[in-house]
Amino acid sequence: MSAALDIFRALSDPTRLRIIYLLRAMELAVGEIAQVVGQSQPRVSRHVRILAEAGLVERRKEGNWVFLRLGQAVAIAPFLTLFDQLVPSESEELWQKADLARLAAVRADRSRAAESYFAEHAEEWDAIRSLHVPDVDVEAAMTALLGAEAIGHLLDIGTGTGRMIELFGPSADQVTALDRSPDMLRLARAKLPEDAGGKYALVLGDFGALPLEPGSIDTVVLHQVLHYAQAPEVVIAEAARVTAAGGRVLIADFAAHEREELRLRDQHARLGFSDEQIESWFAQAGLELERVEVMPGQELTVVLWLGRRLGARILRHEGRLSA
């Protein structure tokens, strides 16, 4: 009963109710909530602490920001379901509408930040894109490869600007997007749909040590990410570790090339990959290479490698245990 009492006490404050309603719409930073509810950040932080102690809210630090989402524990679900069944009073309906209008402004701020970033880096992106097959063709090929089966729980490793969660998120049951850059995660949030709710989780982390449980993911996507890895085999082993038996790992990256300026100018650690390299790393990680699709471009060739997780087994990779 003490847990239930804590939950009801946490919900007894109007501001905390407003926070719950906002987080049902989308994941938010503490500062963004303060902007919407018109209160100081320290005051909002105190409300958040009470909600978190009751399990209604989960906090996640991302650089200097703290992001919040609704609690995921099974015991919390019935309390959150109550919000769908309660008819708001006139005054409640007014503040709900006002908060959602201010929330739209927060969403617009995110979009403006994304547009500003791309404006500043447009020449860099365009220089690389001009070398390979158009993105729309790569995305169509990726969609065709994954479209034959349910996406399930999607993990987008190195989500960057969030294009992959924008592309595959609608057909996924749940989405986890990971990046090691807080700035990139903020850009990715601008791509989340208005009704994102608790379906999307944006996570700060490293692709060489994924903060996820073994076998918790159905579909893993690494889109133009692997060439940044100093040890690509470790990244693939980590992707396999978190993939459920029978799940899929799709890598979209460059075939081996000699464009040394991409290493010097754009920090590419690897100048593409051969089929033999990927197949070998897949096999070491317990993945079977099912499909390879080659897409030649002007000077760079994009390759899609689709692997499937074999039955659960324990693998060792440079002293690390993987399932």
Side-chain angles (χ1 to χ4, degrees):
M1 283 298 294
S2 60
L5 288 173
D6 289 340
I7 290 170
F8 281 118
R9 288 192 185 107
L11 293 173
S12 65
D13 182 273
T15 298
R16 295 197 282 273
L17 280 176
R18 293 171 70 186
I19 292 172
I20 292 294
Y21 272 105
L22 289 170
L23 293 179
R24 295 183 79 216
M26 61 190 289
E27 186 180 78
L28 291 164
V30 172
E32 291 174 327
I33 292 175
Q35 178 182 338
V36 171
V37 301
Q39 297 183 16
S40 69
Q41 193 159 322
R43 186 173 180 182
V44 169
S45 294
R46 286 194 294 272
H47 286 302
V48 166
R49 176 179 53 79
I50 294 170
L51 291 169
E53 288 173 351
L56 290 162
V57 164
E58 293 180 1
R59 293 176 289 191
R60 179 169 45 77
K61 188 169 174 56
E62 190 176 290
N64 293 325
W65 291 39
V66 175
F67 281 92
L68 309 168
R69 68 171 182 170
L70 293 177
Q72 302 298 299
V74 175
I76 301 302
F79 294 92
L80 298 178
T81 302
L82 279 175
F83 287 88
D84 293 322
Q85 301 171 352
L86 295 173
V87 178
S89 65
E90 280 190 27
S91 60
E92 289 172 334
E93 192 170 10
L94 285 174
W95 62 251
Q96 287 176 20
K97 288 181 178 178
D99 281 354
L100 289 176
R102 286 187 286 267
L103 186 60
V106 169
R107 204 186 297 272
D109 286 344
R110 289 181 178 180
S111 296
R112 279 193 292 271
E115 290 169 5
S116 174
Y117 176 87
F118 285 118
E120 292 174 9
H121 296 81
E123 291 184 6
E124 300 168 26
W125 289 90
D126 289 344
I128 297 176
R129 284 174 174 155
S130 68
L131 301 176
H132 64 77
V133 64
D135 291 339
V136 64
D137 295 337
V138 175
E139 292 174 3
M142 294 176 71
T143 301
L145 279 178
L146 293 179
E149 299 175 30
I151 297 291
H153 188 169
L154 171 70
L155 170 62
D156 180 23
I157 297 178
T159 193
T161 61
R163 175 55 187 157
M164 290 298 101
I165 59 176
E166 185 180 38
L167 185 64
F168 295 113
S171 56
D173 297 329
Q174 187 176 351
V175 177
T176 299
L178 177 137
D179 205 286
R180 60 187 174 187
S181 166
D183 291 333
M184 280 298 186
L185 288 179
R186 283 194 279 278
L187 291 175
R189 282 192 181 85
K191 299 284 181 69
L192 297 183
E194 293 188 9
D195 59 349
K199 176 178 175 178
Y200 294 80
L202 276 67
V203 179
L204 186 69
D206 189 86
F207 54 15
L210 299 174
L212 298 166
E213 293 297 319
S216 58
I217 302 297
D218 300 303
T219 305
V220 178
V221 172
L222 296 100
H223 176 253
Q224 296 294 359
V225 170
L226 200 61
H227 57 247
Y228 290 110
Q230 297 294 336
E233 66 276 20
V234 173
V235 177
I236 290 175
E238 273 293 277
R241 177 184 68 81
V242 302
T243 302
R248 296 171 295 168
V249 176
L250 177 59
I251 296 174
D253 218 298
F254 297 126
H257 62 86
E258 297 182 359
R259 303 288 304 209
E260 188 65 31
E261 74 273 15
L262 295 183
R263 191 196 309 275
L264 301 174
R265 184 191 67 198
D266 300 297
Q267 306 304 310
H268 289 201
R270 296 297 185 101
L271 299 184
F273 307 95
S274 68
D275 292 347
E276 291 74 22
Q277 282 178 309
I278 297 296
E279 186 170 17
S280 173
W281 291 331
F282 270 19
Q284 292 172 28
L287 296 168
E288 181 180 11
L289 182 60
E290 283 194 348
R291 292 278 302 276
V292 178
E293 185 157 341
V294 180
M295 308 183 72
Q298 294 294 320
E299 298 186 50
L300 293 175
T301 294
V302 173
V303 184
L304 308 183
W305 294 279
L306 179 66
R308 189 175 297 275
R309 185 72 161 97
L310 302 175
R313 57 188 173 126
I314 299 296
L315 299 164
R316 288 187 180 273
H317 185 80
E318 295 184 356
R320 296 183 58 177
L321 265 180
S322 298

